[in-house]
Amino acid sequence: MRYCKLLLPAFIFFTLFSCEKEVTLNLSHEPTLCLNCILNPDSMISASLSISKALNASGDFESVNNASVLLYEDGSLFGELQRTGNGNYRLNKKPSVSKNYKIVAQAPGYTSVTATTIVPRFPEVATTRDTTAEELNPQGIHSTYSYIVFDLNVQLFDKPGADNYWLYSSWIVNDRRYGGGCHPINAPFVDTFNRIIDSEEKYGFRHFLQIRIFDEGYDGETLAFTIPDFVKYSAEVNNELGYQYFLNADEHYDKYIKTTIMNRMKETSELPFYEPIQIYSNIENGYGIFGSCAITAVKL
Amino acid sequence: MKKYIFLTPAFFLPFLISAQNKFTVSGYVSDYTSGERLIGATVYNSATGKGAVCNNYGFFSLSDKEGNSTLVFQFVGYKKKRVELNLTKDTLLNIRLERGIEIEEVEVKGFHIKQNNPELSTLNQPKITMQTIETAPVILGEHDVLKTLQFLPGIKQGAENTAGFNVRGGSADQNLILLDGVPVYNVNHMMGFFSVFNTDAIKNVNFIKGGIPARYGGKLSSILDISMKEGNLKESSGIFSISPMAARFTYEAPIKQDTAAFIVSLRRTFFDIPMVAFEKINGENGSFGYNFYDINIKTNWILNPKNRLYFSFYTGKDKQFATTKEKDSKTIYNYRWGNFTSVFRWNKVFTSKLFSNTSIYYSLYNHNELIKIEENNKLTLFKTSSDLQDIALKSDFDFYVSPQYTIRFGGKLSQLVFNPNIIQVKDAESDISFNDENKTRATQSEIYFENAFDLQKLKLNIGARLSGYSTGKTKYLNFQPRLSANLELSSKLNMSASYTKMAQNIHLLTNSSLGMPTDLWVASTDRVGPQEASQATFGLSRQIQKDYTISVEAYYKWMKDVVRFDEGAAFLDTKESSWDKNVLVGDGKAYGVEWMVQKNSGNLTGMLSYTLSWSERRFDGLNHGRWFPFKFDRRHDVSLLATYKFKKYYEKIRSLSIGFTLQSGNNISLPDFEYAGLLTPGREFNYYHDSWETVRQTYDHPNNFRMPAFHHLDIGYNIVKQKTDRKSITWTFSVYNVYNRMNPWYYQKDKNDKIKQVSLFPFFPSVGFTYRW
């Protein structure tokens, strides 16, 4: 809304004077290894390898199935990831919290790629609920089903050291599971990078796609906040709440998520001459991400 | 110890020089018909060749031996005036020059007296006259100081046809732009398509991009010092101009002849008038539109030959508005931004050798957005505002010790108030404010000292500036040495060199490079300190035949603590954020060579230049800490600006002007490859994913893509019909982009993922009319 109005003079100018034509830009690009791997202490280790391509090249990404992918833990070989097809690799081991991991992937014809990560600790969370509204004996056409509206009061016990928390939830509608996003949170430690003013929202703003909490200025403290307005319907409605997740990401995965969201914000903005965001990558000699996270889930 | 012995002669040199003279002739040089003081007019003794140059207030001081002498006063576009004197005491002279034969440079006994700062090369201080500005081809008939400057070497325009400019690899906020000595913080109207400076009210433009003297400070890259006309002390006069874009009206007159005068100049655009008229005719339930205006007012009062007061005022505003009315609701949208500057100055001649100017000024830049919705008697309000206020007291002194030695010194104390991006959201239930913590106050204090030597073949300026800056508990102190020298190797060959260190305590947060009103000025904080730059230049200049000068100059600039928004952060977004958490602080470097050929006299005048340059930036948190090209890192730049004056025919003076620019394209960040991406947290639960979720389109380094070469040819044709001595009519015809070059302004993807190039300025004819009386 604001963009449009800000750009009224530009719009006038563009309408009067601008000329638009389709162009083919010379976008040359050297195909390069792309490695994606996020370590999670709750999961076996998996990675994928593919080849990057020029923006105007057609077709899907080429998978790399003949690579050697080695994982080191605190300097010692932890294991070699086995090929499972379609560019995927797997190691039937789980990483450990606070350990340092290094990955090295080599594929014939490409420069080998490498990256490191330190697995963050699990978020320590305590929650309580406050019911804010309920309709248990519905009558009339607009209140067919019983429901309860509640706020989830969260205490996130931060530990000394930098932590980057991402919040998301899951839910089920018509037996189909969905996930992502989060209800708006009004707390000073919530990152504002994707906050958008919206007077129709509860706090006058919303967050684009995800919510990020960072502990700068609150390091080692208990971060108390409320996630408002969960609606729990009666059993006859095929619509149920799942889990509220608290993900602690290492610095690389954190930047990767953040730049991805920012880029999407730019892409969907109404500003015609926006400058895109460089997607963060910590892969040396290649692209993609090698990061880690630890997730705590709370049943809603 | 040795270095002190080495410095001893330098310390005593000024006193040795000054010991040779006895009496001083001082005073002002002004225009005969208007009384307007002539900045840069020269005076010299025809026998000895010793000379002086009038300062920014038209004041000169020349010491000489006792006895008879002939002083010659002259200025470009005016007749020479000789004054016979028998010098027996200090003498005060007020000289009036009549308009007449044009001369471009004063030649005295084989050496040149340059107009201002003789120690600077022609490339460090390129001369740009109001005549050049007023005859240069323009778009939409609006002459523009800032756009004409962009024809000079080392100065790159931002986006096409915008007033923002980048000097020697610096960013647009690193230019100190002064109007009557007051910093103007936003120089753009309408997203930068036009500057705020109304050429009808301007007397003089002084531009410096290297070897910046110590009297200037506060910005890293350049100084643009614009002086407004003072007001006609003799008789009333005026200018009325109209172009497809705007109308201008200027009126000046004496309040008391030869004692006090004023000038008023107004400019307003027409953009909203047809829109509003159309809406009224069609009986629309609302209106929308856009306009801007400028008002310049200046008065001056000569109290006595030694004291003069000036008061200048400028305000300019852009306004967008939209109102919609329906049965039970009304929506009002207003967006305004603009400057307000005012300055009170006092010129004082203490002695024939000591001149001072004391100023107190106030400069404000603000922008406000208001969305007000009234629906069923319920009010919803969304309001944002930002402002920067600068209040300062400053004093500058010129002490003319001898014709060979001038000391300049002074100081400034200013208070800066920043209120960036204050947001209020209000409705019946709540009233929320954001960003109140961003409000900042800062105090800036600066002192400087300059030693200017004119040793016939060697012109030298050695000085330093010390700036202190404090905000909250944070304090910064910057010592900025300055040195510039110009050595005459022969009567036609000059060599120059300079070293300049500059500091900048305030930063402009922008990510559009367009001169958007939302660009924010912010103060240095404990997290983000002042920017610093050091620049070294070396150049040669040679006069070829009588009219031509060819110059070459190399420069290298180091920049420290330059700022830019972190990836994705922007105040274009209506979101709460503390600005200094959203910026990256890094380094910059810029280097290059500039060549220029100038023809200063004759029917054909102009300049042809070529610049080869590099400009790069580096930030720890971006691009893995590696260097990447600056957005306006344009490798090659060829510019031509020329005017041919035809013979006068039936009281008509006609001239044809040509402007041509050929530059490497701007750099932009454009995704040029893609790779497989991971879903953001939680999205793995979903059975369907959009393509953007699993594909990352990105680029290797910021500003990775260079746009195609940028070029256009513009032609202007001016006819001045002199109806009487005072009255004239001027028709200005211009064609912008004669051969209809489609220079890309930006690229965008359409719905089918096809890349579209958008060009804004095709072949564009326009006409302007000016009536002077």
Side-chain angles (χ1 to χ4, degrees), chain B residues 33-36 230-237 252-255 260-263 300 726:
Chain B
T33 52
S34 67
E36 194 85 36
E230 292 162 359
N232 198 322
L233 284 161
K234 298 286 181 186
E235 58 193 355
S236 65
S237 63
E252 51 187 317
I255 298 167
F262 73 94
I263 178 169
N300 74 89
R726 293 183 57 203

Side-chain angles (χ1 to χ4, degrees), chain B residues 443-472:
Chain B
T443 305
Q444 215 168 213
S445 47
E446 295 168 275
I447 52 169
Y448 71 87
F449 194 82
E450 265 182 50
N451 298 276
F453 300 97
D454 186 345
L455 308 173
Q456 291 243 339
K457 290 189 183 300
L458 177 66
K459 315 282 193 281
L460 198 61
N461 190 323
I462 306 169
R465 191 175 183 93
L466 184 68
S467 75
Y469 175 87
S470 68
T471 178

Side-chain angles (χ1 to χ4, degrees), chain B residues 17 111 248 302 441 726:
Chain B
I17 291 166
F111 68 92
R248 305 189 297 273
I302 301 170
R441 277 177 185 274
R726 293 183 57 203

Side-chain angles (χ1 to χ4, degrees), chain B residues 237-276:
Chain B
S237 63
I239 305 170
F240 171 75
S241 312
I242 189 162
S243 71
M245 186 70 205
R248 305 189 297 273
F249 174 75
T250 301
Y251 182 73
E252 51 187 317
I255 298 167
K256 184 181 176 188
Q257 206 172 38
D258 290 328
T259 304
F262 73 94
I263 178 169
V264 177
S265 192
L266 314 169
R267 175 168 71 159
R268 192 191 192 280
T269 185
F270 305 131
F271 256 27
D272 55 333
I273 294 170
M275 286 183 201
V276 172

